[in-house]
Amino acid sequence: MLKLILYCSFLLMISQYLQAQSGGIRGRITDKTTASELVGATVQLQGTDYGTAADVEGYYDLVNIPVGNYTVVVQMLGYDSLAIPITIDKKMSSLNFALNEAAIKIEIEVSAERDAEKNETRVSVFSVTAKEIDRMPSIGGKSDIAQYLQMTPGITFTGDQGGQFFIRGGAPIQNKILLDGMPIYNAFHSIGFYSIFETDVVRTADIYTAGFGAKYGGRSSAVIDIKTREGNKKRLAGNVTLTPFIASALIEAPIIKPKDENSPSLSFLFTAKHSYLDRTSPRLYSYANEQGILPYNFTDLFGKLSFNTSNGSRINAFGFSSTDNALFTGIADSRWRAGGGGMNFRIVPGGAKLLLDGSITYSTYNSSFVEGDSSKERSSLINSFAGNFNFIYLMPKNQELDYGLEITSFFTDFSFTNNQGLPFEQAQTNSEVAAYIRYKARFGRLVIEPSFRAHYYASLGEMRAEPRIAGKFNITEYMRFKFAGGLYSQNLISSVDERDVVNLFVGFLGGPESGVFRIENGQYIKTDSRLQTSTHLVAGMEFNLGKYATLNVEPYLKYFNQIISLNRNRLTSRDPAYIAEKGSAYGVDLLAKYEKDQLYLYLGYSLGYVTRDDGVQQYMASFDRRHNINAMASYEFALNKKRQTDSTAVTIQKDKKTKYPFEVSVRWNVASGFPFTLTQGFYQWQTFDQGINSNYLQNNNSPNTELGVIYEEELNRGRLPYYHRLDISLRYTLDMAKYSKLLFTASLTNAYNRANIFYFDRIRYNRVDQLPLMPTAAITWKF
């Protein structure tokens, strides 16, 4: 043992000595004209193997470089390259770069993307940018991330209306949404075309559909991590959009302009978006339903203040406010309000091989729902505080190490009356503390990324150890095998009723203090844990089909060891309020992309099975969707202009005019219908408000007595019809000045007028369909 300790100590001293004889550089890479970050720009020490690419914030680092003189080369597609002589000494030095947009654009292969495919595990994660969202057909005249998510394999939406999404068997309550590190409890409006996020401020959106690493926790199914960009640091800029559905505006400007790439800056941006469809639809879309109105309106506000220092440190303060109202007269009344704010930061200590980033946020969400003329309102409130701190240790090439701490506290207030007339109310505060560590390294063709999360649910007194792992094996230059898996848990509980044909309301509850019971042989048995837990297993293949096409195939399995829900069969106050179910989600997702010049093609397919077992029966979840196909094509073109096609593949950019002013986009979606519980009959609802003196015989004949529903015992045996829809849009860009443009958009939503079901009122036997054929036109001014 003594020999082993001495040997390890010797290796540690050698390692420290070698690191002491080396240094490194780090900083940001930006556009010289706009000072915006250049994501994916490459930094290479000429004549060496030392190189890297800038991250989503334009930040790069090169470490453990031997002391000496080098030439650093910075490159980015569409920009002039930089070659600068530098001297590496025994410390980390800050070095920022600003690139000029190239006057001559040469078609070259994007090496940063290819390197990421080989060196990043990236299992079950889709990264989306504003550019990709903008390629979508502009439904309602304006593209939105909600429209893009509906195309992503593994994600199921309730359709044009409803605004709920499900990810590989995970209900909305099991999916975590982050906005610059702030938890968002409902990111999608009741009309399913729009999110609370403004597309123009989205920098990246990472969608983790399964098998995510230990940095993320507190949810048992999936994570959507959205990061917004900073405001323009060089000039006043913005845009205004007007459509029959919504009006939106964005304004951004510098407060303190940077003198050069090594100077500090302060900038802001502000966006506002308002939907007035409930006012325009009676005139434009009165044919959409029997009421002659699409009863939706919402308002979204977002603001951000960004300060950047000369060494790459930065701090952002941000806030948002959203409201949503959907009022179907006599059928359903759904309303919610959300808001929040906070700050995120990155600290770059001078000379140290360490970075610190994190966020401190507060958010709130308040919703209510009343069905038909019922007096039984469902309401839900959640307020949350979240703080996280991440330490990134700068390692040699092909290695990464980071660790962090997360603190969360949330308050929930929920009220509900079940079908037996028993009220349920809960007001509760919960606290959680978690720590994680992640290491990634490449050994030859193998990339391995183990991580571990320790999550303590203080309010429940439960500790969870959650090991996770991801990996990739590069079989050839163009074919890769990948895998991921891990353990996951959460405290939040949903109020969704599996018997609703379409769920319009999701309430939030904290973990039960009184305990959770499962049903075995008709008896209630108390469980050992009060958490919702799951196990993920994912494997798949990636293919590069030439220079322009990719194919991704991913089979997956999620086993939900424990799903906690309200006991809707509760007959007396002595029956347990919560029951534990089990469930599984399994299937395969395929995604093919092709991108060359002006043409972009996208094809996604999902085969999925989602089951639940409540101890009485096994049934299909209300969001089980067997097949889901999404096809999209986008093409840019110009009229009466010949594209230059000489052998050098060089295009001279003489000015800032749009090269291809026209863009046509088409999207088609076809999906199997959702399951639902069939109706057996109805009965008169007896309130017995006068106790034993109540005249229930007379009440049966009263026209004011509410009807109750008798459901079939077998849950979700019925199946709604197939859903399918075709969307088309055409956009024209008119250049007016150097920074000024007008964009004209014409679109058709549901081009062949398919009648897709949205909601069914059992009591009145009234069907509400999704949106019919809806032509729209929009105009956007960018400046």
Side-chain angles (χ1 to χ4, degrees):
M1 177 62 71
L2 180 60
K3 291 182 178 180
L4 179 61
I5 294 174
L6 291 174
Y7 179 69
C8 291
S9 300
F10 174 74
L11 291 179
L12 180 61
M13 286 188 294
I14 291 294
S15 174
Q16 291 177 337
Y17 172 77
L18 292 175
Q19 290 195 35
Q21 306 307 308
S22 64
I25 56 173
R26 60 188 173 195
R28 301 180 77 194
I29 307 174
T30 57
D31 181 300
K32 194 159 190 175
T33 302
T34 66
S36 59
E37 302 82 4
L38 295 182
V39 180
T42 60
V43 181
Q44 185 82 29
L45 295 187
Q46 197 173 66
T48 75
D49 292 331
Y50 293 98
T52 189
D55 64 13
V56 295
E57 296 181 357
Y59 185 85
Y60 78 93
D61 62 74
L62 287 174
V63 299
N64 287 2
I65 304 171
V67 171
N69 297 317
Y70 300 89
T71 297
V72 60
V73 179
V74 185
Q75 293 179 307
M76 179 71 180
L77 182 64
Y79 288 81
D80 291 331
S81 299
L82 278 181
I84 300 174
I86 62 170
T87 298
I88 299 294
D89 52 22
K90 299 178 184 179
K91 65 178 182 179
M92 291 295 297
S93 301
S94 294
L95 189 57
N96 299 325
F97 301 103
L99 303 184
N100 287 307
E101 191 170 356
I104 300 179
K105 292 190 174 181
I106 304 176
E107 297 178 6
I108 61 173
E109 183 177 352
V110 184
S111 58
E113 185 176 342
R114 294 294 185 224
D115 286 343
E117 291 173 347
K118 300 172 188 175
N119 298 314
E120 302 291 338
T121 54
R122 307 291 289 177
V123 184
S124 295
V125 58
F126 301 91
S127 294
V128 185
T129 64
K131 179 182 178 181
E132 291 174 300
I133 298 170
D134 203 42
R135 283 173 167 154
M136 292 280 300
S138 302
I139 302 174
K142 187 174 177 65
S143 299
D144 190 275
I145 190 173
Q147 301 165 25
Y148 190 94
L149 289 175
Q150 295 177 37
M151 291 204 320
T152 306
I155 295 185
T156 299
F157 263 74
T158 51
D160 316 341
Q161 306 174 79
Q164 294 182 25
F165 71 102
F166 310 87
I167 302 180
R168 285 187 175 175
I173 194 72
Q174 296 170 297
N175 305 320
K176 191 171 197 174
I177 304 176
L178 297 171
L179 174 63
D180 287 333
M182 175 171 55
I184 303 294
Y185 294 97
N186 189 356
F188 305 100
H189 288 294
S190 298
I191 183 165
F193 298 150
Y194 301 107
S195 69
I196 68 171
F197 315 114
E198 178 59 37
T199 300
D200 292 326
V201 303
V202 173
R203 176 188 282 156
T204 59
D206 291 326
I207 308 162
Y208 299 86
T209 57
F212 47 92
K215 181 179 180 179
Y216 300 103
R219 295 296 187 276
S220 59
S221 181
V223 174
I224 298 178
D225 190 359
I226 296 175
K227 294 181 174 63
T228 61
R229 65 177 178 84
E230 298 172 354
N232 195 304
K233 303 178 183 67
K234 291 296 185 75
R235 66 178 183 86
L236 174 68
N239 63 66
V240 178
T241 298
L242 185 65
T243 84
F245 282 48
I246 65 171
S248 66
L250 178 150
I251 187 167
E252 54 184 321
I255 299 174
I256 300 175
K257 288 185 180 181
K259 297 178 181 179
D260 53 41
E261 61 269 23
N262 295 305
S263 300
S265 66
L266 178 64
S267 63
F268 79 92
L269 64 80
F270 178 79
T271 69
K273 181 169 59 180
H274 177 69
S275 171
Y276 36 72
L277 194 55
D278 56 339
R279 298 182 178 230
T280 58
S281 59
R283 294 186 177 183
L284 300 177
Y285 309 113
S286 58
Y287 58 87
N289 54 36
E290 293 181 0
Q291 290 76 30
I293 182 174
L294 293 171
Y296 301 104
N297 69 76
F298 63 79
T299 302
D300 298 322
L301 304 174
F302 176 79
K304 186 172 183 178
L305 190 67
S306 303
F307 177 69
N308 289 276
T309 68
S310 57
N311 74 338
S313 296
R314 51 95 178 145
I315 183 169
N316 298 306
F318 55 89
F320 85 101
S321 174
S322 293
T323 64
D324 184 278
N325 301 287
L327 176 58
F328 292 89
T329 305
I331 299 175
D333 183 352
S334 175
R335 306 169 188 266
W336 59 258
R337 306 287 183 271
M343 57 172 286
N344 59 40
F345 56 88
R346 167 177 275 179
I347 299 174
V348 182
K353 296 181 179 180
L354 186 73
L355 298 176
L356 169 65
D357 68 20
S359 63
I360 301 173
T361 65
Y362 171 84
S363 62
T364 182
Y365 175 75
N366 192 352
S367 63
S368 65
F369 177 79
V370 177
E371 185 174 8
D373 298 324
S374 172
S375 59
K376 295 178 288 186
E377 181 186 59
R378 310 178 200 178
S379 65
S380 178
L381 168 69
I382 182 167
N383 300 324
S384 74
F385 164 84
N388 68 83
F389 307 91
N390 309 299
F391 300 87
I392 301 98
Y393 182 67
L394 304 182
M395 302 275 292
K397 186 179 181 181
N398 297 328
Q399 294 186 67
E400 294 179 8
L401 175 65
D402 56 82
Y403 48 92
L405 178 70
E406 183 178 349
I407 302 170
T408 305
S409 177
F410 59 89
F411 169 78
T412 58
D413 189 354
F414 176 80
S415 64
F416 164 79
T417 301
N418 72 3
N419 291 308
Q420 285 72 40
L422 286 177
F424 176 89
E425 295 183 354
Q426 184 206 68
Q428 187 184 76
T429 300
N430 292 266
S431 299
E432 304 172 13
V433 179
Y436 79 92
I437 185 169
R438 180 191 72 96
Y439 175 72
K440 190 191 80 171
R442 177 169 178 173
F443 304 97
R445 296 184 179 183
L446 177 65
V447 182
I448 195 76
E449 187 176 344
S451 60
F452 180 82
R453 185 180 184 92
H455 202 125
Y456 179 60
Y457 296 89
S459 304
L460 303 180
E462 292 192 38
M463 170 68 80
R464 282 278 299 178
E466 298 176 350
R468 304 173 190 178
I469 191 168
K472 178 178 285 185
F473 183 76
N474 293 275
I475 300 173
T476 69
E477 187 80 6
Y478 307 104
M479 181 169 59
R480 297 167 290 279
F481 170 76
K482 55 184 180 179
F483 59 91
L487 303 180
Y488 303 86
S489 63
Q490 70 176 77
N491 190 14
L492 276 178
I493 299 171
S494 171
S495 65
V496 168
D497 190 340
E498 295 292 348
R499 290 170 299 199
D500 289 342
V501 175
V502 175
N503 292 300
L504 296 178
F505 174 79
V506 176
F508 295 91
L509 302 92
E513 296 176 346
S514 57
V516 177
F517 294 79
R518 67 179 184 274
I519 301 175
E520 289 186 6
N521 301 319
Q523 302 293 320
Y524 288 114
I525 307 297
K526 193 171 185 178
T527 63
D528 296 330
S529 174
R530 290 172 285 173
L531 296 172
Q532 300 199 80
T533 58
S534 66
T535 303
H536 297 190
L537 295 173
V538 187
M541 294 290 296
E542 289 179 354
F543 303 91
N544 293 113
L545 308 177
K547 292 176 61 176
Y548 308 109
T550 60
L551 174 64
N552 185 69
V553 182
E554 281 191 2
Y556 66 90
L557 168 65
K558 288 182 182 177
Y559 180 68
F560 297 99
N561 313 70
Q562 182 162 284
I563 303 170
I564 300 174
S565 60
L566 293 178
N567 184 2
R568 298 186 178 277
N569 297 312
R570 190 185 187 200
L571 298 175
T572 72
S573 58
R574 295 186 299 273
D575 291 334
Y578 301 90
I579 60 170
E581 301 181 357
K582 295 181 179 179
S584 65
Y586 56 94
V588 60
D589 293 331
L590 293 88
L591 176 61
K593 290 183 179 181
Y594 176 87
E595 183 176 9
K596 185 178 187 298
D597 300 330
Q598 310 105 273
L599 179 63
Y600 178 76
L601 301 176
Y602 180 107
L603 178 62
Y605 169 73
S606 294
L607 171 67
Y609 297 81
V610 185
T611 65
R612 296 289 186 261
D613 187 342
D614 62 4
V616 176
Q617 60 179 299
Q618 182 172 317
Y619 59 95
M620 291 296 174
S622 60
F623 47 89
D624 172 68
R625 174 159 273 172
R626 191 70 62 248
H627 305 284
N628 196 2
I629 301 173
N630 277 283
M632 198 269 284
S634 174
Y635 184 72
E636 297 175 334
F637 63 96
L639 298 178
N640 302 322
K641 288 186 179 181
K642 293 183 178 180
R643 180 169 177 260
Q644 187 173 344
T645 55
D646 62 274
S647 59
T648 60
V650 174
T651 302
I652 307 298
Q653 188 184 31
K654 296 181 179 180
D655 51 37
K656 292 286 184 180
K657 290 185 178 179
T658 304
K659 185 177 178 183
Y660 300 106
F662 290 93
E663 181 178 17
V664 60
S665 300
V666 180
R667 180 219 173 187
W668 183 65
N669 174 221
V670 58
S672 51
F674 292 121
F676 69 97
T677 302
L678 298 171
T679 303
Q680 281 194 330
F682 304 91
Y683 63 92
Q684 292 289 113
W685 184 268
Q686 298 292 336
T687 60
F688 293 99
D689 55 347
Q690 298 179 13
I692 60 174
N693 296 319
S694 299
N695 190 337
Y696 56 86
L697 293 177
Q698 183 177 351
N699 287 342
N700 278 337
N701 298 320
S702 172
N704 297 322
T705 302
E706 295 182 14
L707 281 179
V709 180
I710 302 174
Y711 296 94
E712 185 180 71
E713 289 188 8
E714 185 177 348
L715 292 174
N716 290 342
R717 187 170 66 89
R719 182 73 68 165
L720 296 176
Y722 261 73
Y723 172 98
H724 50 91
R725 192 184 82 204
L726 176 69
D727 302 321
I728 305 171
S729 73
L730 175 67
R731 182 170 60 201
Y732 173 69
T733 301
L734 175 65
D735 295 300
M736 299 178 65
K738 183 176 181 180
Y739 296 114
S740 181
K741 297 181 180 182
L742 281 177
L743 283 72
F744 302 92
T745 303
S747 65
L748 289 176
T749 302
N750 195 3
Y752 52 79
N753 202 28
R754 163 70 177 179
N756 295 302
I757 188 171
F758 165 54
Y759 181 75
F760 194 87
D761 183 351
R762 300 174 191 260
I763 302 296
R764 295 162 184 78
Y765 205 77
N766 185 23
R767 167 174 165 162
V768 178
D769 281 336
Q770 306 274 12
L771 298 180
L773 167 65
M774 297 183 69
T776 57
I779 183 170
T780 298
W781 175 41
K782 292 188 175 182
F783 58 90

